[in-house]
Amino acid sequence: MSALKAERSLFSYPKYWAECYGVAPFLPTTRQEMDELGWDSCDIVLVTGDAYVDHPSFGMAVIGRVLEAQGFRVGIIAQPDWSSKDAFMTLGQPNLFFGVTAGNMDSMINRYTAEKRMRHDDAYTPGNVGGMRPDRAVVVYSQRCREAYKEVPLIIGGIEASLRRIAHYDYWQEKVRRSIIFDAKADILIYGNAERPLVEVAHRIAKGDPVASIQNIRGTAVIRKEPLPQWRGSDSTAIDKVGKIDPIPNPYGADDVGCSKSEFAKAGVNLAEEAAKPITVQPPRLKPWEKVYVKLPAFEQVSVNKPLYAHASRILHQETNPGCARALFQRHGNRSVWVNPPAFPLETEEMDMVFGLPYQRIPHPSYGDAKIPAYDMIKTSVNIMRGCFGGCSFCSITEHEGRIIQSRSEESIIEEIEQIRDKVPGFTGVISDLGGPTANMYKLRCKSKKAESTCRRLSCVYPDICKHMDTDHTPTIDLYRKARDVEGIKKILIASGVRYDLAIEDPRYVKELVSHHVGGYLKIAPEHTEQGPLSKMMKPGMGTYDKFKALFDKYSKEAGKKQYLIPYFISAHPGTTDEDMVNMALWLKSNDFKLDQVQNFYPSPMANATTIYHTEMNSLRNIKNNKESVAVPKGARQRRLHKAILRYHDASGWPMIREALRKMGKANLIGKGPNCLVPEEGRNEKAASNKRGSRPALTRHSGFSQFKKANTKPKVTSNRQRNNAR
């Protein structure tokens, strides 16, 4: 049994009365569909920036089916026209509440490249058409819901809301914005995986609780004037300082509110004679973090004071363990955002029930034959777990899904594989992925219940793998073998990124992976070769990569297969100097790698690396007396340079690289020698540069740097979803 267990199961609530309507083939998106189901109204209306795909990889489908399983009538408004309130009234007024999300991706990352150029595609839209959702979709959709039905409770969630729950740096406006709950004018913000808190909220509203009274549910944030009553405070409004806050005085004045002594005297009662012998009652002793909140520096402070912003970011990231996290309290003017501790992770049985709900596993029929790229990419893949304990600073998984791995059972996963085999049109017998945030964290958790419930480390594997962390890959190996044995399955591929520092701890896994589950190429993510940026990424050094590559090559040879690693790298990450980029490019050239696509660092809200980017301070350490000044590549020119250096073989970037090398005193790297990075300017180069443009081309591709081995052509796959999590 997990040390982090909720008081009640996700599916233990008495079902709402509307259960009698049964299960909808698809959650209705129009009044006509509601009429066909016999509904006069929806209990809950979900608004999403994605197309409606009834599949467990799409957040709104999961939330909708979970709420339906509780007995509620749930409708979906997908990618509405946000120019007026009309589209938000399509399904009528919901009886209980609106639920709003931008979709599986942050709307700003979905709409703009890392260079802030507008994209013209959207993998979550039929036909891959861009522009079907607004910027800051949660805020815009919420405003329209309020215009449509002002009195209906409004709940926001999904990754866009989750990563903006407190004051946060906004890369697109280059300023600190306040918590999104204020801009959206929402009643409740749900962060992280929403099933557990949303089900509790739904049942409390359904039984008549005013939404304003629902303030203390784990995994939610609300607007308050003061902290919740009976909670003790820790003042952390100064850098690296945590102090006790005096309790709020009794608003009624005296502590002995009730009948006065004179009233007893009038009634002829002698209190001295009537007094009973005292009974000592020892209440349960609270743990140091229970009913405790941390008062963060106010929005007005962190918006102008970078050290205070870095400090607030450190506090937030230390309060992500559901077992010991404290609530957060941050002033915004005369109001505050109150962030309750995170929700407890789902147990295996609950995960199985969530993934076992009656999904159609296809897009809504209204889209006809239009292709939805995000669906095409995952329609034959299986999500086997949630969460990640890697703690990479550029990644938002910890802030959203948490560090605790939530795994499905083998039986549930095998059943889904069989459903894919039997239901997915055109299935060829190949499962494209068994994975999640990472490929090889299935059923890996802390071996110590005490450590798991009290640890505040940002990563379980950096700088070294924690002694309490389980690295036995036996459950994953067994799962792979059982999946391969399913009748009608020809091949099981692993497309999720492999955490290779974990994999080398169990070479049996590497052998199993390489022998049976690599389709010629395997993607892994060293992210960089130099220690400066790696230390700010919280990633292992290249020695770990070398060990994994040796095992990969050994087992590929034993299996009689020619297989290649495709490493991913990030350019312009905080902590990266121009010299770091040159050294990485030289490593790439010496290993005969040539880049297909490049991803510059994308500062997503609330990530640790984004804090470093904004403050130019190492917020991974205590801020006080921290004199380290972090090199942060900023500005279009330097970011283009770092991107060009990674694509050292692309002639369009050579003029910029040569100029930078000369300024760095590294002109010896210009020439034809094997140790040179770029050649001298040739006679035909000027004409070619004029034709292509003298600046290196910027790709709209949102995935990480993808490489190809010389004389090979790896299959290029989309990484839009992975980029959003990071």
Side-chain angles (χ1 to χ4, degrees):
M1 180 181 292
S2 169
L4 305 174
K5 189 174 179 65
E7 292 182 359
R8 66 182 305 168
S9 170
L10 183 64
F11 294 93
S12 66
Y13 294 83
K15 292 191 177 182
Y16 192 58
W17 68 265
E19 177 199 9
C20 61
Y21 285 97
V23 175
F26 283 88
L27 302 177
T29 62
T30 65
R31 288 304 298 246
Q32 180 180 344
E33 293 174 64
M34 289 172 59
D35 292 341
E36 291 171 356
L37 293 169
W39 297 6
D40 61 345
S41 60
C42 289
D43 300 312
I44 299 163
V45 172
L46 304 177
V47 182
T48 176
D50 293 339
Y52 172 31
V53 180
D54 198 41
H55 188 283
S57 289
F58 284 72
M60 274 300 94
V62 173
I63 291 303
R65 290 298 187 183
V66 167
L67 290 170
E68 180 187 58
Q70 305 290 327
F72 300 108
R73 293 169 294 178
V74 183
I76 287 188
I77 300 177
Q79 297 190 316
D81 176 3
W82 65 91
S83 61
S84 74
K85 65 181 180 180
D86 296 346
F88 297 79
M89 304 176 75
T90 302
L91 302 181
Q93 179 172 329
N95 301 321
L96 301 180
F97 63 84
F98 274 114
V100 173
T101 177
N104 275 14
M105 283 185 70
D106 183 288
S107 64
M108 299 301 288
I109 293 176
N110 178 278
R111 192 89 184 275
Y112 298 94
T113 70
E115 312 313 320
K116 302 181 184 178
R117 296 190 175 190
M118 187 175 292
R119 304 185 197 276
H120 300 287
D121 58 353
D122 184 346
Y124 291 89
T125 298
N128 199 25
V129 177
M132 293 299 290
R133 75 188 82 209
D135 291 357
R136 311 188 192 285
V138 168
V139 174
V140 176
Y141 290 161
S142 297
Q143 290 170 346
R144 295 294 176 264
C145 288
R146 286 293 193 208
E147 291 173 15
Y149 302 107
K150 184 177 180 180
E151 302 304 321
V152 173
L154 177 63
I155 300 170
I156 60 175
I159 194 163
E160 181 165 311
S162 184
L163 300 186
R164 292 169 169 80
R165 55 188 182 264
I166 65 169
H168 56 280
Y169 174 72
D170 185 90
Y171 171 62
W172 302 274
Q173 289 187 328
E174 297 184 0
K175 71 174 188 178
V176 175
R177 288 176 63 100
R178 60 183 184 169
S179 169
I180 194 173
I181 194 171
F182 293 100
D183 293 334
K185 297 180 173 60
D187 294 295
I188 298 175
L189 180 155
I190 294 181
Y191 67 92
N193 294 126
E195 294 98 337
R196 199 181 296 287
L198 187 57
V199 164
E200 185 174 350
V201 168
H203 281 290
R204 286 183 61 174
I205 293 178
K207 74 177 184 179
D209 288 3
V211 70
S213 71
I214 303 174
Q215 305 259 296
N216 61 347
I217 296 177
R218 280 178 166 268
T220 68
V222 295
I223 297 174
R224 290 187 56 83
K225 289 281 189 179
E226 299 293 342
L228 286 176
Q230 312 304 319
W231 283 64
R232 298 167 291 149
S234 293
D235 188 348
S236 194
T237 55
I239 294 175
D240 297 334
K241 174 187 174 184
V242 178
K244 183 179 179 181
I245 296 177
D246 292 334
I248 299 173
N250 189 324
Y252 299 103
D255 292 331
D256 58 347
V257 176
C259 294
S260 67
K261 293 181 180 180
S262 61
E263 294 297 322
F264 284 106
K266 289 178 182 179
V269 177
N270 188 324
L271 290 178
E273 294 178 358
E274 295 291 330
K277 293 182 179 180
I279 299 175
T280 303
V281 178
Q282 293 289 347
R285 186 174 180 181
L286 292 176
K287 295 176 181 176
W289 52 83
E290 290 181 329
K291 288 294 183 91
V292 173
Y293 69 91
V294 179
K295 185 177 181 182
L296 297 176
F299 161 69
E300 289 78 9
Q301 293 176 293
V302 300
S303 62
V304 297
N305 187 313
K306 290 183 178 181
L308 278 178
Y309 182 93
H311 165 70
S313 174
R314 274 184 58 76
I315 296 296
L316 178 134
H317 286 89
Q318 289 171 353
E319 303 299 335
T320 58
N321 184 343
C324 62
R326 297 169 292 182
L328 303 177
F329 183 74
Q330 186 179 48
R331 290 280 182 192
H332 288 62
N334 61 354
R335 297 183 296 168
S336 300
V337 59
W338 172 274
V339 183
N340 286 293
F344 286 111
L346 297 185
E347 299 293 317
T348 294
E349 296 78 10
E350 294 172 312
M351 287 278 286
D352 289 352
M353 294 179 75
V354 168
F355 280 86
L357 293 171
Y359 306 100
Q360 294 291 334
R361 305 192 66 85
I362 57 175
H364 190 275
S366 62
Y367 302 127
D369 295 330
K371 297 291 185 182
I372 301 175
Y375 166 70
D376 290 338
M377 186 174 70
I378 56 85
K379 64 183 178 181
T380 60
S381 69
V382 180
N383 194 329
I384 64 175
M385 45 76 70
R386 289 178 179 173
C388 180
F389 50 75
C392 301
S393 68
F394 50 80
C395 179
S396 301
I397 292 175
T398 298
E399 291 77 45
H400 187 59
E401 294 190 10
R403 291 200 309 264
I404 308 300
I405 302 301
Q406 304 162 71
S407 301
R408 298 168 62 186
S409 69
E410 287 182 350
E411 293 76 17
S412 172
I413 294 166
I414 297 301
E415 182 179 348
E416 185 170 353
I417 292 173
E418 293 172 342
Q419 288 182 4
I420 292 172
R421 177 197 63 193
D422 299 337
K423 294 183 178 181
V424 174
F427 180 62
T428 62
V430 178
I431 297 296
S432 59
D433 188 26
L434 288 183
T438 56
N440 59 317
M441 287 188 182
Y442 179 66
K443 291 192 176 180
L444 296 187
R445 290 182 63 162
C446 187
K447 293 181 288 187
S448 166
K449 290 184 178 182
K450 182 178 180 181
E452 182 182 54
S453 62
T454 59
C455 181
R456 295 178 182 272
R457 282 183 58 166
L458 300 182
S459 169
C460 300
V461 293
Y462 182 86
D464 300 300
I465 296 176
C466 177
K467 64 180 181 179
H468 294 302
M469 178 49 61
D470 184 9
T471 59
D472 181 0
H473 285 58
T474 298
T476 312
I477 295 170
D478 291 344
L479 174 63
Y480 287 0
R481 290 173 179 173
K482 291 179 181 178
R484 293 200 304 269
D485 289 340
V486 174
E487 184 179 355
I489 300 302
K490 299 175 183 177
K491 185 79 173 178
I492 302 280
L493 295 174
I494 304 302
S496 296
V498 173
R499 187 78 194 201
Y500 57 87
D501 51 350
L502 281 173
I504 62 176
E505 295 293 314
D506 194 340
R508 298 174 307 136
Y509 171 76
V510 182
K511 183 175 182 178
E512 190 78 17
L513 175 72
V514 170
S515 301
H516 301 284
H517 301 285
V518 176
Y521 302 91
L522 179 70
K523 61 183 182 182
I524 59 173
E527 312 295 6
H528 216 285
T529 61
E530 305 306 295
Q531 190 55 39
L534 285 173
S535 67
K536 304 304 179 291
M537 296 175 175
M538 298 178 67
K539 291 285 289 187
M542 290 303 289
T544 307
Y545 167 86
D546 293 336
K547 292 177 182 177
F548 180 80
K549 185 178 186 304
L551 291 173
F552 181 89
D553 292 342
K554 173 187 174 183
Y555 293 130
S556 293
K557 184 176 180 180
E558 289 180 3
K561 297 180 178 181
K562 290 185 178 180
Q563 301 181 141
Y564 304 94
L565 289 177
I566 301 178
Y568 288 80
F569 294 86
I570 302 177
S571 54
H573 190 280
T576 308
T577 64
D578 295 352
E579 186 170 355
D580 289 330
M581 292 304 302
V582 170
N583 290 338
M584 179 158 66
L586 291 171
W587 182 91
L588 292 172
K589 186 174 183 181
S590 67
N591 285 274
D592 204 16
F593 281 110
K594 292 185 177 180
L595 207 102
D596 273 347
Q597 284 115 2
V598 178
Q599 175 61 42
N600 263 346
F601 168 68
Y602 206 148
S604 59
M606 207 173 285
N608 269 312
T610 302
T611 299
I612 301 175
Y613 176 90
H614 169 53
T615 64
E616 300 182 23
M617 302 178 67
N618 185 2
S619 59
L620 303 176
R621 298 165 44 194
N622 282 340
I623 306 304
K624 191 175 182 179
N625 300 322
N626 182 347
K627 303 299 183 182
E628 181 181 358
S629 179
V630 180
V632 177
K634 291 185 178 180
R637 180 168 180 79
Q638 190 177 23
R639 286 170 66 85
R640 281 200 302 268
L641 172 63
H642 282 207
K643 205 168 189 179
I645 292 173
L646 268 185
R647 302 199 77 235
Y648 65 91
H649 58 286
D650 184 349
S652 65
W654 290 348
M656 180 180 286
I657 296 173
R658 289 193 198 100
E659 179 184 355
L661 290 175
R662 291 189 178 105
K663 287 182 178 179
M664 295 166 62
K666 294 182 178 293
N668 60 305
L669 297 179
I670 305 171
K672 294 184 178 180
N675 296 323
C676 292
L677 188 60
V678 294
E680 293 280 3
E681 185 174 10
R683 288 180 296 178
N684 298 326
E685 185 178 332
K686 186 174 183 179
S689 296
N690 289 336
K691 185 177 180 180
R692 284 191 300 266
S694 60
R695 284 156 58 167
L698 296 176
T699 177
R700 294 201 318 269
H701 189 277
S702 67
F704 285 109
S705 313
Q706 187 159 334
F707 295 79
K708 64 180 179 180
K709 194 77 173 175
N711 303 319
T712 66
K713 295 182 179 179
K715 180 180 179 182
V716 177
T717 57
S718 172
N719 295 289
R720 291 281 292 276
Q721 288 174 300
R722 184 169 183 256
N723 179 64
N724 185 53
R726 308 180 102 163

